[in-house]
Amino acid sequence: MVLEATMICIDNSEWMRNSDYSPSRFQAQADAVNLICGVKTQANPENTVGVLTMAGKGVRVLTTPTSDLGKILTCTHGLGIGGEMNIAAAIQVAQLALKHRQNKNQQQRIVVFAGSPVKNDKKALEIIGKKLKKNSVALDIVDFGGEDDGKAEKLEALVSAVNNNGTSHIVHVPPGLQALSDVLLSTPILTGDEEGGAGFAATAAAAGIGGSSGHDFGVDPNIDPELALALRMSMEEERARQEAAAAKRAEEEAASRQGKGKERPSKSEDVTMTESDDVEMVDENALLMQALAMSMNNYGSRSSAVGDAEMSEATGVDQDLALALQMSMQESTGGASSSETVDVSKVLEDQSFLSSILESLPGVDPNDPSVKEFLASVTNQFEKNEQDPSNDEDK
Protein backbone atom coordinates (compact mmCIF):
# COMPACT_ATOMS: atom_id res chain seq x y z
CA MET A 1 0.00 0.00 0.00
CA VAL A 2 1.19 3.50 -0.86
CA LEU A 3 1.95 5.75 2.11
CA GLU A 4 0.72 9.12 0.93
CA ALA A 5 -0.23 12.64 2.05
CA THR A 6 -2.87 14.29 -0.15
CA MET A 7 -4.18 17.83 -0.48
CA ILE A 8 -7.57 18.23 -2.23
CA CYS A 9 -8.31 21.59 -3.89
CA ILE A 10 -12.06 22.38 -4.05
CA ASP A 11 -13.55 24.77 -6.62
CA ASN A 12 -16.15 26.95 -4.87
CA SER A 13 -16.47 29.68 -7.51
CA GLU A 14 -19.74 31.08 -8.91
CA TRP A 15 -19.61 28.57 -11.75
CA MET A 16 -20.35 25.77 -9.27
CA ARG A 17 -24.00 26.85 -9.03
CA ASN A 18 -24.75 25.37 -12.48
CA SER A 19 -26.91 22.26 -12.54
CA ASP A 20 -25.49 20.57 -15.64
CA TYR A 21 -24.11 17.95 -13.22
CA SER A 22 -26.72 16.36 -10.98
CA PRO A 23 -27.83 17.82 -8.66
CA SER A 24 -25.37 20.71 -9.09
CA ARG A 25 -21.69 21.12 -9.85
CA PHE A 26 -20.84 21.91 -6.27
CA GLN A 27 -22.80 18.97 -4.83
CA ALA A 28 -21.38 16.56 -7.38
CA GLN A 29 -17.92 17.81 -6.51
CA ALA A 30 -18.62 17.34 -2.76
CA ASP A 31 -19.63 13.69 -3.33
CA ALA A 32 -16.46 13.07 -5.32
CA VAL A 33 -14.33 14.70 -2.61
CA ASN A 34 -15.90 12.46 0.03
CA LEU A 35 -15.15 9.45 -2.15
CA ILE A 36 -11.50 10.33 -2.56
CA CYS A 37 -11.06 11.11 1.15
CA GLY A 38 -12.56 7.75 2.08
CA VAL A 39 -10.40 5.85 -0.39
CA LYS A 40 -7.17 7.57 0.68
CA THR A 41 -7.72 7.11 4.43
CA GLN A 42 -8.84 3.49 4.11
CA ALA A 43 -6.01 2.47 1.78
CA ASN A 44 -3.44 2.94 4.54
CA PRO A 45 -4.05 3.80 8.22
CA GLU A 46 -1.14 6.27 8.10
CA ASN A 47 -2.39 8.16 5.06
CA THR A 48 -3.43 11.76 5.61
CA VAL A 49 -5.72 14.09 3.66
CA GLY A 50 -6.07 17.90 3.73
CA VAL A 51 -8.64 20.20 2.08
CA LEU A 52 -8.51 23.79 0.80
CA THR A 53 -10.74 26.06 -1.30
CA MET A 54 -9.57 27.91 -4.46
CA ALA A 55 -12.19 30.72 -4.81
CA GLY A 56 -13.78 33.40 -2.69
CA LYS A 57 -11.64 36.08 -1.10
CA GLY A 58 -8.60 33.89 -1.50
CA VAL A 59 -7.20 30.41 -1.06
CA ARG A 60 -8.25 29.06 2.34
CA VAL A 61 -6.99 25.88 4.00
CA LEU A 62 -9.93 24.10 5.66
CA THR A 63 -7.82 21.39 7.29
CA THR A 64 -4.18 20.39 7.13
CA PRO A 65 -3.34 16.75 6.27
CA THR A 66 -4.93 14.47 8.88
CA SER A 67 -6.06 10.86 9.15
CA ASP A 68 -9.33 11.82 10.94
CA LEU A 69 -11.94 11.16 8.27
CA GLY A 70 -14.70 12.74 10.36
CA LYS A 71 -12.80 16.00 10.60
CA ILE A 72 -12.14 15.96 6.87
CA LEU A 73 -15.78 15.40 5.93
CA THR A 74 -17.04 17.96 8.44
CA CYS A 75 -14.94 20.78 7.06
CA THR A 76 -16.49 20.40 3.60
CA HIS A 77 -20.01 21.20 4.84
CA GLY A 78 -21.37 24.72 4.74
CA LEU A 79 -18.87 26.10 2.28
CA GLY A 80 -19.74 29.41 0.63
CA ILE A 81 -19.84 29.84 -3.13
CA GLY A 82 -18.46 32.97 -4.78
CA GLY A 83 -15.60 34.55 -6.69
CA GLU A 84 -13.28 32.99 -9.28
CA MET A 85 -10.97 30.02 -9.09
CA ASN A 86 -7.23 30.70 -8.72
CA ILE A 87 -5.68 27.35 -9.55
CA ALA A 88 -2.04 28.54 -9.55
CA ALA A 89 -2.21 29.99 -6.04
CA ALA A 90 -4.13 26.96 -4.76
CA ILE A 91 -1.49 24.51 -6.04
CA GLN A 92 1.33 26.52 -4.44
CA VAL A 93 -0.49 26.66 -1.05
CA ALA A 94 -1.20 22.91 -1.24
CA GLN A 95 2.50 22.24 -1.93
CA LEU A 96 3.43 24.33 1.11
CA ALA A 97 0.98 22.38 3.31
CA LEU A 98 2.44 19.06 2.11
CA LYS A 99 5.95 20.31 2.78
CA HIS A 100 5.10 20.65 6.48
CA ARG A 101 3.58 17.17 6.81
CA GLN A 102 4.47 15.30 10.00
CA ASN A 103 5.55 12.03 8.39
CA LYS A 104 8.27 12.79 5.88
CA ASN A 105 8.08 9.23 4.52
CA GLN A 106 4.70 9.95 2.97
CA GLN A 107 4.55 10.60 -0.75
CA GLN A 108 2.97 13.92 -1.75
CA ARG A 109 -0.05 14.29 -4.02
CA ILE A 110 -2.38 17.15 -4.96
CA VAL A 111 -5.90 16.53 -6.36
CA VAL A 112 -7.50 19.54 -8.11
CA PHE A 113 -11.21 19.84 -9.03
CA ALA A 114 -11.52 22.38 -11.85
CA GLY A 115 -15.16 23.18 -12.59
CA SER A 116 -14.76 26.74 -13.81
CA PRO A 117 -12.61 28.52 -16.45
CA VAL A 118 -8.86 28.73 -15.82
CA LYS A 119 -7.66 32.35 -15.86
CA ASN A 120 -3.94 31.58 -15.54
CA ASP A 121 -1.59 31.44 -18.53
CA LYS A 122 -0.42 28.13 -19.91
CA LYS A 123 3.22 29.10 -19.42
CA ALA A 124 2.70 30.02 -15.77
CA LEU A 125 1.02 26.68 -15.18
CA GLU A 126 3.94 24.83 -16.79
CA ILE A 127 6.36 26.60 -14.47
CA ILE A 128 4.31 25.54 -11.47
CA GLY A 129 4.24 21.98 -12.84
CA LYS A 130 8.01 21.79 -13.14
CA LYS A 131 8.36 23.05 -9.59
CA LEU A 132 6.04 20.30 -8.37
CA LYS A 133 8.02 17.69 -10.26
CA LYS A 134 11.24 18.96 -8.71
CA ASN A 135 9.77 18.53 -5.23
CA SER A 136 8.41 15.04 -6.05
CA VAL A 137 4.77 16.11 -5.84
CA ALA A 138 2.23 14.18 -7.94
CA LEU A 139 -0.79 15.98 -9.43
CA ASP A 140 -4.27 14.69 -10.35
CA ILE A 141 -6.80 16.97 -12.03
CA VAL A 142 -10.56 16.40 -12.43
CA ASP A 143 -11.77 18.60 -15.29
CA PHE A 144 -15.55 19.11 -15.49
CA GLY A 145 -17.55 21.98 -16.98
CA GLY A 146 -16.54 23.04 -20.52
CA GLU A 147 -17.14 26.79 -20.64
CA ASP A 148 -13.52 27.62 -21.62
CA ASP A 149 -12.21 26.16 -24.87
CA GLY A 150 -8.56 26.51 -23.80
CA LYS A 151 -9.13 25.04 -20.32
CA ALA A 152 -8.39 21.43 -21.24
CA GLU A 153 -5.19 22.42 -23.08
CA LYS A 154 -3.90 24.41 -20.11
CA LEU A 155 -4.61 21.63 -17.64
CA GLU A 156 -3.01 18.97 -19.84
CA ALA A 157 0.11 21.11 -20.15
CA LEU A 158 0.23 21.41 -16.36
CA VAL A 159 -0.08 17.67 -15.86
CA SER A 160 2.56 16.96 -18.52
CA ALA A 161 5.00 19.27 -16.73
CA VAL A 162 4.40 17.49 -13.41
CA ASN A 163 4.17 13.91 -14.64
CA ASN A 164 7.07 11.68 -13.67
CA ASN A 165 6.76 8.08 -14.84
CA GLY A 166 2.97 8.24 -15.02
CA THR A 167 2.36 9.37 -11.44
CA SER A 168 0.10 12.28 -12.45
CA HIS A 169 -3.31 12.04 -14.17
CA ILE A 170 -6.05 14.18 -15.65
CA VAL A 171 -9.69 13.14 -16.14
CA HIS A 172 -12.18 15.04 -18.31
CA VAL A 173 -15.79 14.46 -17.19
CA PRO A 174 -18.44 15.75 -19.62
CA PRO A 175 -21.93 16.67 -18.40
CA GLY A 176 -24.36 13.77 -18.38
CA LEU A 177 -26.64 11.54 -16.34
CA GLN A 178 -23.74 9.74 -14.64
CA ALA A 179 -22.57 11.21 -11.35
CA LEU A 180 -19.09 12.67 -11.07
CA SER A 181 -18.12 10.25 -8.30
CA ASP A 182 -19.24 7.26 -10.36
CA VAL A 183 -17.01 8.33 -13.22
CA LEU A 184 -14.00 8.59 -10.91
CA LEU A 185 -14.45 5.00 -9.74
CA SER A 186 -12.88 3.67 -12.93
CA THR A 187 -10.11 6.26 -13.27
CA PRO A 188 -6.44 6.02 -12.21
CA ILE A 189 -7.07 8.77 -9.67
CA LEU A 190 -8.67 6.10 -7.47
CA THR A 191 -7.23 2.88 -8.89
CA GLY A 192 -3.61 4.07 -8.82
CA ASP A 193 -0.76 2.89 -10.99
CA GLU A 194 0.45 -0.07 -8.93
CA GLU A 195 -2.76 -1.48 -7.49
CA GLY A 196 -4.73 -1.78 -10.74
CA GLY A 197 -8.35 -2.87 -10.80
CA ALA A 198 -8.09 -5.05 -7.69
CA GLY A 199 -6.67 -2.19 -5.65
CA PHE A 200 -9.41 0.10 -6.86
CA ALA A 201 -12.14 -2.40 -5.92
CA ALA A 202 -10.78 -2.72 -2.39
CA THR A 203 -10.42 1.01 -1.83
CA ALA A 204 -13.83 1.80 -3.32
CA ALA A 205 -15.40 -0.80 -1.05
CA ALA A 206 -13.61 0.69 1.95
CA ALA A 207 -14.88 4.14 1.00
CA GLY A 208 -18.46 2.82 0.89
CA ILE A 209 -19.35 4.48 -2.43
CA GLY A 210 -21.90 3.01 -4.84
CA GLY A 211 -23.56 -0.41 -4.80
CA SER A 212 -20.91 -2.19 -6.87
CA SER A 213 -18.85 -3.19 -3.83
CA GLY A 214 -21.18 -6.07 -2.91
CA HIS A 215 -20.60 -5.68 0.84
CA ASP A 216 -22.99 -4.62 3.59
CA PHE A 217 -22.70 -0.94 4.49
CA GLY A 218 -20.11 -0.53 1.72
CA VAL A 219 -17.31 -1.92 3.94
CA ASP A 220 -15.28 -5.01 3.09
CA PRO A 221 -14.90 -7.15 6.26
CA ASN A 222 -11.58 -8.46 4.95
CA ILE A 223 -10.10 -4.96 4.98
CA ASP A 224 -11.66 -3.55 8.15
CA PRO A 225 -13.47 -6.28 10.13
CA GLU A 226 -13.90 -4.13 13.24
CA LEU A 227 -15.66 -1.36 11.32
CA ALA A 228 -17.89 -3.86 9.53
CA LEU A 229 -18.82 -5.53 12.86
CA ALA A 230 -19.52 -2.18 14.51
CA LEU A 231 -21.75 -1.09 11.62
CA ARG A 232 -23.63 -4.40 11.66
CA MET A 233 -24.20 -4.24 15.42
CA SER A 234 -25.35 -0.65 15.17
CA MET A 235 -27.81 -1.56 12.43
CA GLU A 236 -29.16 -4.50 14.44
CA GLU A 237 -29.61 -2.35 17.53
CA GLU A 238 -31.42 0.31 15.51
CA ARG A 239 -33.67 -2.33 13.93
CA ALA A 240 -34.46 -3.82 17.36
CA ARG A 241 -35.24 -0.36 18.72
CA GLN A 242 -37.58 0.39 15.83
CA GLU A 243 -39.33 -2.96 16.22
CA ALA A 244 -39.78 -2.38 19.96
CA ALA A 245 -41.15 1.10 19.32
CA ALA A 246 -43.57 -0.26 16.70
CA ALA A 247 -44.73 -3.03 19.06
CA LYS A 248 -45.25 -0.56 21.89
CA ARG A 249 -47.21 1.75 19.59
CA ALA A 250 -49.42 -1.17 18.47
CA GLU A 251 -50.06 -2.17 22.09
CA GLU A 252 -51.04 1.38 23.00
CA GLU A 253 -53.44 1.58 20.06
CA ALA A 254 -54.98 -1.77 20.97
CA ALA A 255 -55.34 -0.69 24.60
CA SER A 256 -57.00 2.56 23.57
CA ARG A 257 -59.44 0.68 21.33
CA GLN A 258 -60.28 -1.77 24.10
CA GLY A 259 -60.80 1.13 26.50
CA LYS A 260 -63.28 2.75 24.12
CA GLY A 261 -65.10 -0.56 23.63
CA LYS A 262 -65.41 -1.10 27.38
CA GLU A 263 -66.96 2.30 28.08
CA ARG A 264 -70.52 1.18 27.17
CA PRO A 265 -70.44 -2.19 29.00
CA SER A 266 -69.08 -0.40 32.03
CA LYS A 267 -72.25 1.73 32.19
CA SER A 268 -74.49 -1.37 32.18
CA GLU A 269 -72.25 -2.96 34.76
CA ASP A 270 -72.66 0.13 36.93
CA VAL A 271 -76.46 -0.15 36.65
CA THR A 272 -76.32 -3.84 37.55
CA MET A 273 -74.09 -3.14 40.51
CA THR A 274 -76.45 -0.37 41.67
CA GLU A 275 -79.45 -2.68 41.48
CA SER A 276 -77.64 -5.46 43.29
CA ASP A 277 -76.54 -2.98 45.95
CA ASP A 278 -80.19 -1.86 46.40
CA VAL A 279 -81.34 -5.46 46.78
CA GLU A 280 -78.63 -6.12 49.30
CA MET A 281 -79.62 -2.97 51.24
CA VAL A 282 -83.29 -4.07 51.26
CA ASP A 283 -82.32 -7.53 52.46
CA GLU A 284 -80.14 -6.07 55.17
CA ASN A 285 -82.93 -3.73 56.30
CA ALA A 286 -85.42 -6.62 56.44
CA LEU A 287 -83.01 -8.73 58.45
CA LEU A 288 -82.39 -5.83 60.80
CA MET A 289 -86.12 -5.31 61.38
CA GLN A 290 -86.59 -9.02 61.96
CA ALA A 291 -83.74 -9.07 64.45
CA LEU A 292 -85.25 -6.09 66.28
CA ALA A 293 -88.66 -7.79 66.39
CA MET A 294 -87.14 -10.99 67.72
CA SER A 295 -85.23 -9.08 70.34
CA MET A 296 -88.44 -7.30 71.40
CA ASN A 297 -90.30 -10.62 71.57
CA ASN A 298 -87.52 -12.14 73.59
CA TYR A 299 -87.59 -9.14 75.89
CA GLY A 300 -91.36 -9.42 76.25
CA SER A 301 -91.22 -13.14 76.89
CA ARG A 302 -88.44 -12.62 79.41
CA SER A 303 -90.45 -9.88 81.17
CA SER A 304 -93.62 -12.03 81.15
CA ALA A 305 -91.65 -14.95 82.47
CA VAL A 306 -90.26 -12.74 85.20
CA GLY A 307 -93.77 -11.49 85.97
CA ASP A 308 -95.13 -15.05 86.11
CA ALA A 309 -92.29 -16.05 88.37
CA GLU A 310 -93.03 -13.11 90.64
CA MET A 311 -96.76 -13.93 90.67
CA SER A 312 -96.05 -17.57 91.41
CA GLU A 313 -93.75 -16.52 94.21
CA ALA A 314 -96.41 -14.16 95.57
CA THR A 315 -99.02 -16.94 95.39
CA GLY A 316 -96.65 -19.27 97.21
CA VAL A 317 -96.15 -16.63 99.90
CA ASP A 318 -99.92 -16.21 100.27
CA GLN A 319 -100.39 -19.95 100.63
CA ASP A 320 -97.65 -20.16 103.25
CA LEU A 321 -99.16 -17.21 105.08
CA ALA A 322 -102.60 -18.85 105.08
CA LEU A 323 -101.19 -22.15 106.34
CA ALA A 324 -99.24 -20.42 109.10
CA LEU A 325 -102.33 -18.47 110.14
CA GLN A 326 -104.42 -21.62 110.37
CA MET A 327 -101.73 -23.40 112.41
CA SER A 328 -101.46 -20.49 114.79
CA MET A 329 -105.18 -20.39 115.24
CA GLN A 330 -105.23 -24.10 115.95
CA GLU A 331 -102.44 -23.70 118.50
CA SER A 332 -104.25 -20.86 120.20
CA THR A 333 -107.43 -22.90 120.47
CA GLY A 334 -105.74 -26.25 121.22
CA GLY A 335 -106.48 -26.08 125.02
CA ALA A 336 -110.26 -25.74 124.59
CA SER A 337 -112.57 -28.67 124.23
CA SER A 338 -113.75 -29.86 120.87
CA SER A 339 -117.31 -29.05 121.73
CA GLU A 340 -116.50 -25.42 122.27
CA THR A 341 -117.32 -23.27 119.21
CA VAL A 342 -114.83 -20.57 118.28
CA ASP A 343 -116.02 -17.41 116.76
CA VAL A 344 -113.48 -16.99 114.00
CA SER A 345 -114.93 -13.80 112.73
CA LYS A 346 -114.33 -12.13 116.07
CA VAL A 347 -110.76 -13.26 116.06
CA LEU A 348 -110.21 -11.87 112.62
CA GLU A 349 -111.75 -8.61 113.61
CA ASP A 350 -109.19 -8.22 116.37
CA GLN A 351 -106.44 -6.43 114.45
CA SER A 352 -104.02 -6.21 117.38
CA PHE A 353 -104.19 -9.96 117.84
CA LEU A 354 -103.60 -10.66 114.20
CA SER A 355 -100.72 -8.22 114.12
CA SER A 356 -99.04 -9.86 117.08
CA ILE A 357 -99.45 -13.28 115.46
CA LEU A 358 -98.05 -12.07 112.12
CA GLU A 359 -95.12 -10.32 113.80
CA SER A 360 -94.22 -13.58 115.53
CA LEU A 361 -93.88 -15.27 112.14
CA PRO A 362 -90.41 -15.03 110.58
CA GLY A 363 -90.23 -13.04 107.34
CA VAL A 364 -93.84 -11.76 107.49
CA ASP A 365 -94.57 -8.04 107.48
CA PRO A 366 -98.09 -7.21 108.80
CA ASN A 367 -98.01 -3.94 106.92
CA ASP A 368 -97.40 -5.68 103.55
CA PRO A 369 -100.32 -4.81 101.20
CA SER A 370 -100.54 -8.40 100.01
CA VAL A 371 -100.88 -9.57 103.61
CA LYS A 372 -103.54 -7.01 104.31
CA GLU A 373 -105.36 -8.01 101.15
CA PHE A 374 -105.23 -11.65 102.09
CA LEU A 375 -106.63 -10.97 105.60
CA ALA A 376 -109.42 -8.94 104.08
CA SER A 377 -110.31 -11.74 101.74
CA VAL A 378 -110.30 -14.28 104.58
CA THR A 379 -112.54 -12.06 106.67
CA ASN A 380 -114.96 -11.68 103.82
CA GLN A 381 -115.00 -15.41 103.29
CA PHE A 382 -115.89 -16.08 106.94
CA GLU A 383 -118.60 -13.50 106.84
CA LYS A 384 -120.09 -15.13 103.79
CA ASN A 385 -120.00 -18.52 105.48
CA GLU A 386 -121.83 -17.17 108.54
CA GLN A 387 -124.48 -15.59 106.41
CA ASP A 388 -125.05 -18.79 104.38
CA PRO A 389 -125.18 -21.79 106.76
CA SER A 390 -126.10 -24.11 103.90
CA ASN A 391 -122.52 -23.97 102.73
CA ASP A 392 -121.34 -25.45 106.07
CA GLU A 393 -123.90 -28.19 105.94
CA ASP A 394 -122.87 -29.12 102.42
CA LYS A 395 -119.30 -29.20 103.47
Side-chain angles (χ1 to χ4, degrees):
M1 294 182 182
V2 179
L3 181 60
E4 195 172 60
T6 306
M7 284 296 297
I8 300 177
C9 301
I10 297 177
D11 186 358
N12 61 330
S13 63
E14 288 289 345
W15 298 90
M16 304 306 293
R17 299 183 188 274
N18 294 345
S19 59
D20 49 352
Y21 293 85
S22 179
S24 66
R25 289 189 183 184
F26 187 78
Q27 187 60 44
Q29 175 187 234
D31 296 338
V33 169
N34 293 340
L35 169 63
I36 295 176
C37 291
V39 169
K40 296 295 183 180
T41 55
Q42 293 294 330
N44 193 317
E46 296 183 5
N47 283 353
T48 58
V49 179
V51 181
L52 60 82
T53 58
M54 299 186 293
K57 295 181 179 181
V59 178
R60 183 164 65 98
V61 177
L62 301 179
T63 178
T64 55
T66 177
S67 59
D68 188 354
L69 181 60
K71 183 179 180 181
I72 299 170
L73 298 179
T74 302
C75 72
T76 59
H77 291 285
L79 292 179
I81 298 176
E84 295 181 353
M85 176 184 68
N86 189 350
I87 188 172
I91 292 175
Q92 292 176 11
V93 173
Q95 180 187 0
L96 184 61
L98 292 174
K99 183 178 180 180
H100 295 284
R101 66 190 183 280
Q102 294 180 354
N103 189 356
K104 299 302 181 180
N105 295 325
Q106 293 174 328
Q107 296 182 11
Q108 305 173 73
R109 180 176 295 275
I110 299 174
V111 179
V112 177
F113 284 86
S116 59
V118 178
K119 300 297 182 181
N120 303 96
D121 296 335
K122 178 180 178 182
K123 190 174 183 179
L125 294 176
E126 289 178 350
I127 295 174
I128 294 174
K130 292 179 180 179
K131 186 177 180 180
L132 293 177
K133 182 178 180 180
K134 182 179 180 180
N135 292 287
S136 302
V137 179
L139 178 65
D140 293 330
I141 297 178
V142 180
D143 177 22
F144 62 105
E147 290 83 4
D148 188 0
D149 293 337
K151 176 183 176 182
E153 183 181 356
K154 293 177 182 180
L155 295 178
E156 288 179 357
L158 175 60
V159 172
S160 298
V162 178
N163 190 15
N164 184 14
N165 298 325
T167 56
S168 299
H169 313 89
I170 183 171
V171 177
H172 301 282
V173 182
L177 299 177
Q178 195 172 9
L180 183 60
S181 58
D182 293 340
V183 175
L184 295 179
L185 290 174
S186 57
T187 61
I189 295 177
L190 291 181
T191 59
D193 297 325
E194 299 177 357
E195 295 175 307
F200 159 71
T203 54
I209 301 298
S212 60
S213 61
H215 302 293
D216 294 337
F217 315 110
V219 177
D220 188 359
N222 297 323
I223 296 177
D224 196 344
E226 294 181 358
L227 178 60
L229 179 61
L231 292 173
R232 188 178 297 106
M233 292 178 63
S234 178
M235 181 61 69
E236 291 177 356
E237 291 177 358
E238 179 65 18
R239 186 182 295 109
R241 187 190 67 79
Q242 293 178 357
E243 292 177 356
K248 184 178 180 181
R249 193 180 303 107
E251 291 179 358
E252 292 177 354
E253 292 178 356
S256 61
R257 292 176 182 175
Q258 292 179 359
K260 293 180 180 178
K262 289 183 178 180
E263 286 181 357
R264 295 180 180 177
S266 62
K267 293 181 180 179
S268 60
E269 291 178 359
D270 294 339
V271 174
T272 305
M273 291 296 294
T274 304
E275 293 178 355
S276 61
D277 293 341
D278 295 340
V279 173
E280 291 179 357
M281 290 296 294
V282 171
D283 294 340
E284 291 179 358
N285 293 333
L287 293 175
L288 181 60
M289 295 300 294
Q290 185 178 0
L292 290 174
M294 292 176 64
S295 63
M296 293 297 293
N297 292 335
N298 292 334
Y299 178 76
S301 62
R302 289 179 182 177
S303 61
S304 61
V306 172
D308 294 341
E310 291 178 354
M311 289 298 294
S312 61
E313 290 178 358
T315 305
V317 171
D318 293 342
Q319 292 178 358
D320 294 339
L321 181 59
L323 180 59
L325 183 58
Q326 291 179 2
M327 290 175 65
S328 62
M329 291 177 66
Q330 290 177 2
E331 289 178 355
S332 61
T333 58
S337 61
S338 60
S339 61
E340 188 176 2
T341 303
V342 179
D343 191 357
V344 179
S345 61
K346 293 181 179 181
V347 174
L348 294 175
E349 290 177 359
D350 192 352
Q351 296 295 330
S352 61
F353 177 71
L354 289 175
S355 298
S356 62
I357 293 175
L358 293 174
E359 290 176 356
S360 63
L361 295 176
V364 178
D365 186 7
N367 297 323
D368 191 354
S370 60
V371 175
K372 292 181 179 181
E373 184 180 357
F374 173 72
L375 293 177
S377 63
V378 172
T379 303
N380 293 333
Q381 185 66 27
F382 275 108
E383 289 178 355
K384 290 179 180 181
N385 291 334
E386 289 179 356
Q387 292 175 1
D388 190 3
S390 61
N391 292 334
D392 296 336
E393 291 178 358
D394 294 336
K395 293 179 179 179

